[in-house]
Amino acid sequence: MVLQIQTSTYEAKTQEIAKQLLAATQENRSFLASLRDQMRWDDKLLAWAMSNPGLRVQLFRFIDTLPALRSKSEIAAHLQEYLGDESVELPAALKGMLNFANADSMPGQVAATTVSTAVETLAHKYISGENIQQVIKTVERLRKEKMAFTIDLLGEAVITEVEAQSYLERYRELITQLTTAAKNWGNIGAIDEADGEPLAKVQVSVKLTAFYSQFDPLDAQGSEERVSDRIRILLRHAQDLGAAIHFDMEQYAYKDLTFNILQKILLEDEFRQRTDIGITIQAYLRDSEQDARKIIDWLKQRGYPLTIRLVKGAYWDQETIKAAQKHWVQPVFNDKAATDANFEAITQLLLENHQYVYAAIGSHNVRSQARAIAIAESLNVPRRRFEMQVLYGMGDKLAKALVDRGYRVRVYCPYGDLLPGMAYLIRRLLENTANSSFLRQNLENKPVEELLAAPDIDLFRAKAQSRKEGAGFVGAADTDYAEEEERNEAARAFAAVRGELGRSYLPLIDGEYVNTVEVIDSVNPSNFSEVVGKVGLISVEQAEQAMRAAKAAFPGWRNTPVKERAGVLRRAADLMVQRRAELSAWIVLEVGKPVKEADAEVSEAIDFCRYYADEMERLDQGVIYDVAGETNRYIYQPRGIAVVISPWNFPLAIACGMTVAALVAGNCTLLKPAETSSVITAKLTEILVEAGIPQGVFQYVPGKGSQVGAYLVSHPDTHVIAFTGSQEVGCRIYAEAATLKPGQRHMKRVIAEMGGKNAIIVDESADLDQAVVGVLQSAFGYSGQKCSACSRAVVVESIYDAFIRRLVEATKSLNIGEAELPSTQVGPVIDANARDRIREYIEKGKAESQVALELSAPDHGYFVGPVIFSEVPPNGIIAQQEIFGPVLAVIKVKDFAEALAVANDTNYALTGGIYSRTPSHIQKAQTDFEVGNLYINRTITGALVARQPFGGFKLSGVGSKAGGPDYLLQFLEPRTITENIQRQGFAPIEGAE
């Protein structure tokens, strides 16, 4: 139903109160105050940002970079780079200030000082202090204005356990110092008591995820255990000193787990009667009203009220982008009107249940606050049961007007160093300058009727609405493990797969599963005593049978319409969707890949099927180059027989991608997987057979690489070899394929992806929070066993020590264990050979570098703990040779130019990354970084089909990128067909009568 707020019984009163509040916030300032503000650079910057979208983006990017810049020259140079961009139309005053020849000049220094001072002034508008002493002064001033407070500690992202423990200790110290200061504060009736009940003078706001560096909904139980202990410590400390605690809400992925953890703790006997604790609901979330109802029901059961702070939400852009990238349902409303309407609906819900819940209405929108007052006054809600909240530095006049009307107002006061506080500042600036912002619309003197109009929107429809996917290929959505049902499904899949462990898997030749003389055990690398499956390995004689079967099946498959061939791939994709959780479990158990990464691999396999089906239908249309009297068609035909030699590190995705590309192009295909991942490819075989692949067209031929693999590569009837693996084997295949065999009447096409020695550059302007996490995930995800993994971090010397220090602590905080465990971030390596080879490289590294960190690992599987080497020579063994394990070389360089030279000084050119906020460095990397896949300010692993087609050059491989528009061409022969359509000088001419 349409939420008809206009006809609501509260609307007339809302309008009356809102007009009074609005009038109070729009009182004219004195001439001198206006003149003073016009002279201030911080106000000028905000005004310019509001009037110029291009400047707004670049200015805020510069502000984000500013804390990392260590000198006025750096600041001046970045000012010119950001604001001198062609997309930015500069105001005359700013253009004049930036018109300096070089960053070291006096005008450059003046510009740097002016702008950095203005930004610092802006920051102090929204950040209540840089230390506790400053914060105490701020809150004492607020109390004189009859306003209560809650303090939020700004800080670096918590990515290490040291930082998580520090977060707890800093809050304990904050509470201690604030409550000590509070002993000297007089009692202020408006904020220190309500309805005869004393209220805590001190309140702090905390973020649950900051209590554990590896907080993850997938590991709900582990996260709960680690977080809960620290929460209890904080709650006890606060109770002992008489302080109140409020829990903020962060990203949507953490919401349900946050509520679950808090509800469990707050039902414990020790905390059940506490009423000085609060939780937060974000109205921009589509399911927030449902959450509010659930919490109210829970509070009825609890028997003691708590505060619910209702806010609109601060991560709209982030939530929208993440949902779009992941192809997930967008958790937030599409537009602000829906959020406003939902905010009012939940406000009403909270206040109508005031006997169970204390409402804290957090908004700078005059109408939103007026609405709350109108409802509260109509229902005679006791003053203890609700309060109004604003952010420090925002809505100051509204706060004063609310105080003047006798309402309790609480100011949310962030404090901390400006460096980590900059992200908070950017959010506030975005909020202040957004077109939809009430504060901005009020400043622009919009008509009162517009400003105070009720949100006119069908809230029911808005909750169901979702953003449309963009044009082009839409990939499969990864599993969202924040959803409890998805976690339960994964657990059921593991149980089912464990029931099948130890089964036998036979090769598929000419449509029949055949027995073999040789059988090997494929074991779980997390626990090598556990046999995942018994795999039959074919002989050379059986390989020849498979070749003959493929040759016999080729004419029929070649002539099968492309639509039918594509249909097989799409059915296979649909079957993988149905079996997603099961396939993930097989990957986890057979090759030791952690759960989330295994799930993402299933998505990639699905995407390969669907994308290559689409691509082959596109290519099948050919190209027409007709002229008068002549038709010219450019078409494609299959090459013949393809041999696919797939690796163990992406046992489903890469095997599937190479195989279905060959098949949809019309080639008969033999799949020889790595021995250690043959069970997963047996599962792929089951899927292709069920999808309808004809007899002999696809054959599953596990065997020894040195025997069967070599035989198939050298076979005269092989037309295409698609290989992913080591450089050594790849080069051998390339050489062998170039040799013409007796009876061979074609040249073989080799597609080979042969690894990399991938580097991430971290320059002096990088966001270290991002860079440390990005390098960590890229280096140690799947224990460094991805072709794209980061094995070198090339770091500028000015930040080298700080980077190493945080990277080491972050790595120490990782959980190392069995891949199946939801808490695991670093699992085993693939087998004993790999483990021993990696250990040998570690010993070589110790001889030429310093060990910054070497972690121990379990001994019941093929584990190698992460190792970080520092002071690594750029030409050292561990800086040049591919290790394929959790070993990272961190190389120190003087500047960005040297970093790029070091990064390029390798035989490989697969993936690379750069963490930088310097536009010229990013531009230089785009043109000069010698890699097939370059990633800027993100991890360098996890390439997605059709979004980041994957592949490199130099000794990283030959051939076009997998998952890209050129890939299928390698499995096809192009043909041109020309026909003279004239007969005796006559030819049909289009358009002639």
Side-chain angles (χ1 to χ4, degrees):
M1 87 179 172
V2 176
L3 189 70
Q4 295 287 0
I5 294 177
Q6 295 90 329
T7 60
S8 155
T9 53
Y10 302 123
E11 183 59 24
K13 194 160 191 170
T14 298
Q15 288 291 330
E16 177 191 348
I17 296 167
K19 285 172 184 173
Q20 293 168 2
L21 291 174
L22 193 61
T25 66
Q26 291 181 331
E27 288 174 359
N28 291 328
R29 293 173 296 166
S30 71
F31 172 75
L32 284 174
S34 301
L35 191 65
R36 185 191 67 230
D37 285 353
Q38 288 171 23
M39 299 294 289
R40 288 167 56 136
W41 270 91
D42 55 307
D43 287 322
K44 285 182 182 178
L45 288 176
L46 267 187
W48 290 334
M50 280 194 271
S51 61
N52 185 330
L55 174 59
R56 179 175 180 251
V57 170
Q58 291 299 96
L59 178 63
F60 289 176
R61 284 180 173 172
F62 167 76
I63 291 172
D64 175 56
T65 310
L66 185 59
L69 306 179
R70 288 164 176 74
S71 69
K72 289 182 180 178
S73 297
E74 284 186 23
I75 293 170
H78 281 77
L79 259 177
Q80 278 193 330
E81 286 200 37
Y82 277 102
L83 304 188
D85 190 91
E86 291 179 1
S87 66
V88 180
E89 187 180 328
L90 291 178
L94 201 49
K95 187 182 290 185
M97 189 177 70
L98 295 179
N99 189 26
F100 48 84
N102 67 73
D104 293 321
S105 65
M106 182 58 72
Q109 304 288 293
V110 170
T113 301
T114 303
V115 174
S116 56
T117 302
V119 172
E120 195 170 320
T121 304
L122 262 179
H124 283 300
K125 276 188 174 181
Y126 304 109
I127 297 173
S128 63
E130 293 188 65
N131 54 54
I132 294 178
Q133 287 68 38
Q134 289 178 10
V135 169
I136 289 172
K137 285 183 181 177
T138 297
V139 300
E140 286 176 347
R141 175 176 55 78
L142 289 173
R143 285 179 59 80
K144 285 178 184 174
E145 296 169 8
K146 297 182 181 177
M147 295 183 197
F149 66 86
T150 186
I151 306 294
D152 168 43
L153 175 59
L154 296 173
E156 297 168 317
V158 173
I159 58 177
T160 77
E161 279 306 278
V162 169
E163 290 164 354
Q165 184 61 34
S166 170
Y167 184 81
L168 172 62
E169 295 306 328
R170 289 170 70 195
Y171 260 108
R172 291 181 67 182
E173 179 62 18
L174 175 64
I175 290 169
T176 299
Q177 294 213 30
L178 285 172
T179 50
T180 300
K183 292 173 183 175
N184 299 318
W185 298 341
N187 203 58
I188 299 171
I191 55 176
D192 293 334
E193 58 184 52
D195 304 326
E197 181 185 338
L199 305 179
K201 292 180 180 178
V202 171
Q203 186 188 103
V204 298
S205 290
V206 301
K207 293 174 176 59
L208 201 92
T209 59
F211 289 110
Y212 179 40
S213 64
Q214 310 304 314
F215 192 93
D216 185 353
L218 174 61
D219 182 27
Q221 184 178 344
S223 297
E224 179 184 330
E225 288 170 1
R226 299 295 290 272
V227 163
S228 296
D229 287 342
R230 286 173 171 154
I231 290 173
R232 292 186 188 98
I233 290 168
L234 189 70
L235 289 176
R236 289 170 189 140
H237 184 68
Q239 185 172 30
D240 289 345
L241 299 181
I245 301 285
H246 195 97
F247 292 95
D248 283 332
M249 188 59 68
E250 301 170 89
Q251 287 84 357
Y252 182 72
Y254 304 137
K255 173 180 69 73
D256 289 348
L257 183 53
T258 297
F259 282 149
N260 289 343
I261 290 171
L262 291 176
Q263 286 175 335
K264 283 184 183 177
I265 290 174
L266 297 176
L267 278 182
E268 292 171 5
D269 290 344
E270 183 180 0
F271 305 112
R272 183 166 190 155
Q273 295 182 30
R274 293 276 293 274
T275 59
D276 56 350
I277 297 169
I279 54 182
T280 304
I281 285 179
Q282 299 159 310
Y284 68 0
L285 297 177
R286 298 169 192 267
D287 54 7
S288 52
E289 183 180 355
Q290 179 185 342
D291 286 335
R293 292 185 184 280
K294 286 179 181 175
I295 290 170
I296 289 168
D297 289 343
W298 170 75
L299 285 170
K300 290 176 182 176
Q301 170 201 346
R302 182 176 187 261
Y304 298 91
L306 294 171
T307 297
I308 291 181
R309 176 193 291 153
L310 179 63
V311 298
K312 292 184 180 172
Y315 303 95
W316 188 89
D317 288 349
Q318 194 180 109
E319 298 287 9
T320 304
I321 289 167
K322 183 178 181 181
Q325 289 182 345
K326 294 279 193 181
H327 307 296
W328 289 345
V329 174
Q330 183 180 299
V332 293
F333 288 111
N334 284 349
D335 50 62
K336 189 174 183 301
T339 296
D340 288 343
N342 196 45
F343 189 92
E344 294 192 7
I346 299 173
T347 297
Q348 184 170 330
L349 177 66
L350 296 179
L351 290 170
E352 287 177 349
N353 285 277
H354 61 81
Q355 63 270 47
Y356 309 110
V357 61
Y358 303 147
I361 309 301
S363 176
H364 309 114
N365 184 317
V366 166
R367 178 186 164 85
S368 297
Q369 293 288 16
R371 182 73 175 180
I373 294 171
I375 297 169
E377 289 185 353
S378 299
L379 297 175
N380 291 317
V381 177
R383 288 301 171 90
R384 171 66 185 96
R385 300 276 163 168
F386 76 104
E387 68 182 32
M388 334 309 282
Q389 295 194 355
V390 297
L391 292 171
Y392 182 78
M394 295 179 69
D396 295 349
K397 289 186 177 179
L398 173 60
K400 185 177 185 306
L402 291 168
V403 169
D404 290 345
R405 289 182 69 99
Y407 291 102
R408 186 168 71 254
V409 174
R410 189 176 304 278
V411 181
Y412 186 96
C413 299
Y415 101 92
D417 295 336
L418 293 189
L419 174 63
M422 209 50 72
Y424 175 84
L425 171 63
I426 296 286
R427 286 206 300 275
R428 298 291 74 81
L429 294 178
L430 285 169
E431 191 173 333
N432 262 345
T433 57
N435 288 328
S436 58
S437 160
F438 182 90
L439 292 170
R440 174 171 177 171
Q441 291 176 358
N442 193 8
L443 278 173
E444 292 173 347
N445 295 318
K446 283 216 169 185
V448 171
E449 293 73 20
E450 271 188 54
L451 274 175
L452 303 181
D456 183 14
I457 194 163
D458 182 338
L459 195 52
F460 182 79
R461 183 178 296 172
K463 286 179 180 178
Q465 221 172 29
S466 62
R467 287 185 171 252
K468 291 180 180 176
E469 292 278 3
F473 179 77
V474 177
D478 291 346
T479 301
D480 183 1
Y481 290 108
E483 301 288 337
E484 185 177 11
E485 178 49 37
E486 297 288 8
R487 299 196 297 272
N488 293 338
E489 174 65 18
R492 289 192 292 269
F494 272 109
V497 166
R498 284 201 168 279
E500 294 187 36
L501 293 184
R503 277 184 49 199
S504 294
Y505 297 90
L506 297 175
L508 179 74
I509 296 178
D510 199 15
E512 301 290 336
Y513 288 104
V514 299
N515 289 312
T516 63
V517 173
E518 188 173 1
V519 176
I520 60 164
D521 288 345
S522 180
V523 302
N524 178 356
S526 292
N527 179 5
F528 43 67
S529 65
E530 186 171 61
V531 176
V532 175
K534 297 177 180 298
V535 180
L537 301 184
I538 68 168
S539 63
V540 168
E541 291 74 24
Q542 287 172 312
E544 178 58 34
Q545 291 171 22
M547 266 293 181
R548 286 201 295 268
K551 196 170 181 180
F554 177 64
W557 186 240
R558 176 186 60 200
N559 294 326
T560 300
V562 164
K563 189 172 183 181
E564 287 185 32
R565 301 201 302 250
V568 173
L569 267 64
R570 293 192 176 106
R571 286 193 293 277
D574 292 344
L575 289 167
M576 287 186 210
V577 171
Q578 293 170 24
R579 295 176 62 175
R580 169 188 278 280
E582 175 214 337
L583 290 169
S584 294
W586 283 113
I587 293 169
V588 171
L589 293 175
E590 190 177 27
V591 299
K593 185 171 283 192
V595 175
K596 278 187 186 174
E597 295 181 82
D599 176 76
E601 182 173 344
V602 179
S603 293
E604 188 177 4
I606 294 165
D607 289 349
F608 276 134
C609 290
R610 291 172 174 168
Y611 178 70
Y612 290 150
D614 292 351
E615 281 295 291
M616 193 59 229
E617 288 177 341
R618 174 182 68 83
L619 292 171
D620 189 47
Q621 296 170 19
V623 184
I624 306 297
Y625 297 114
D626 291 351
V627 295
E630 183 177 276
T631 62
N632 293 284
R633 287 185 299 136
Y634 187 83
I635 61 171
Y636 299 96
Q637 69 179 29
R639 286 180 175 272
I641 295 173
V643 171
V644 171
I645 302 173
S646 64
W648 51 261
N649 64 331
F650 282 85
L652 179 65
I654 293 180
C656 177
M658 295 192 294
T659 299
V660 300
L663 289 171
V664 80
N667 304 286
C668 288
T669 305
L670 287 73
L671 169 60
K672 194 211 83 65
E675 293 164 43
T676 46
S677 59
S678 297
V679 171
I680 294 158
T681 41
K683 297 297 171 184
L684 172 62
T685 299
E686 293 172 5
I687 286 168
L688 289 173
V689 170
E690 188 177 345
I693 200 76
Q695 178 177 329
V697 170
F698 166 76
Q699 298 174 92
Y700 165 59
V701 288
K704 295 281 186 187
S706 57
Q707 298 166 14
V708 170
Y711 181 79
L712 294 175
V713 165
S714 64
H715 200 286
D717 289 329
T718 295
H719 290 76
V720 183
I721 301 154
F723 167 79
T724 298
S726 71
Q727 180 192 315
E728 179 190 356
V729 175
C731 288
R732 200 158 60 230
I733 288 172
Y734 201 71
E736 177 63 31
T739 304
L740 201 63
K741 296 293 189 290
Q744 183 178 324
R745 307 178 74 176
H746 58 270
M747 296 303 295
K748 295 174 182 175
R749 169 63 67 92
V750 175
I751 307 155
E753 195 271 275
M754 302 187 294
K757 191 65 185 173
N758 311 305
I760 293 178
I761 293 171
V762 184
D763 78 4
E764 64 278 9
S765 68
D767 179 330
L768 278 192
D769 283 352
Q770 272 192 1
V772 168
V773 172
V775 170
L776 183 83
Q777 291 176 350
S778 301
F780 302 129
Y782 192 34
S783 301
Q785 298 177 113
K786 299 179 183 179
C787 319
S788 54
C790 171
S791 56
R792 296 181 297 154
V794 185
V795 184
V796 171
E797 63 183 1
S798 60
I799 58 164
Y800 186 86
D801 291 342
F803 175 82
I804 284 273
R805 187 167 55 250
R806 289 199 77 199
L807 180 67
V808 164
E809 287 301 330
T811 306
K812 283 181 186 175
S813 304
L814 294 175
N815 297 317
I816 304 168
E818 296 177 25
E820 184 181 353
L821 299 175
S823 59
T824 293
Q825 283 111 6
V826 181
V829 298
I830 188 64
D831 59 19
N833 288 337
R835 178 195 61 199
D836 296 344
R837 180 177 44 78
I838 294 163
R839 286 175 176 172
E840 286 175 14
Y841 271 110
I842 291 169
E843 292 309 309
K844 291 174 183 175
K846 289 176 180 178
E848 62 183 12
S849 310
Q850 294 179 19
V851 177
L853 177 69
E854 182 175 13
L855 290 181
S856 59
D859 54 12
H860 56 266
Y862 302 122
F863 289 94
V864 178
V867 178
I868 299 171
F869 286 104
S870 62
E871 308 298 336
V872 179
N875 60 352
I877 291 172
I878 58 168
Q880 289 294 324
Q881 296 184 18
E882 187 178 36
I883 300 171
F884 228 61
V887 179
L888 177 67
V890 187
I891 302 166
K892 184 191 294 184
V893 292
K894 182 181 177 183
D895 53 25
F896 176 73
E898 186 184 350
L900 197 53
V902 167
N904 285 337
D905 186 21
T906 171
N907 294 332
Y908 298 95
L910 188 53
T911 65
I914 173 175
Y915 280 90
S916 173
R917 290 179 288 190
T918 301
S920 59
H921 289 180
I922 292 171
Q923 183 60 43
K924 184 75 171 168
Q926 289 178 19
T927 57
D928 293 358
F929 203 155
E930 296 173 0
V931 290
N933 285 56
L934 175 63
Y935 298 94
I936 301 164
N937 292 323
R938 55 149 284 175
T939 57
I940 66 170
T941 60
L944 298 178
V945 173
R947 195 183 297 177
Q948 296 116 7
F950 185 77
F953 50 97
K954 289 165 71 172
L955 290 184
S956 283
V958 290
S960 295
K961 289 174 167 290
D966 312 318
Y967 190 71
L968 289 187
L969 298 178
Q970 302 168 115
F971 298 89
L972 296 163
E973 296 281 11
R975 298 179 65 208
T976 298
I977 299 174
T978 297
E979 181 184 358
N980 172 14
I981 56 173
Q982 293 186 81
R983 294 289 187 275
Q984 301 300 325
F986 163 78
I989 300 174
E990 191 174 337
E993 292 183 2

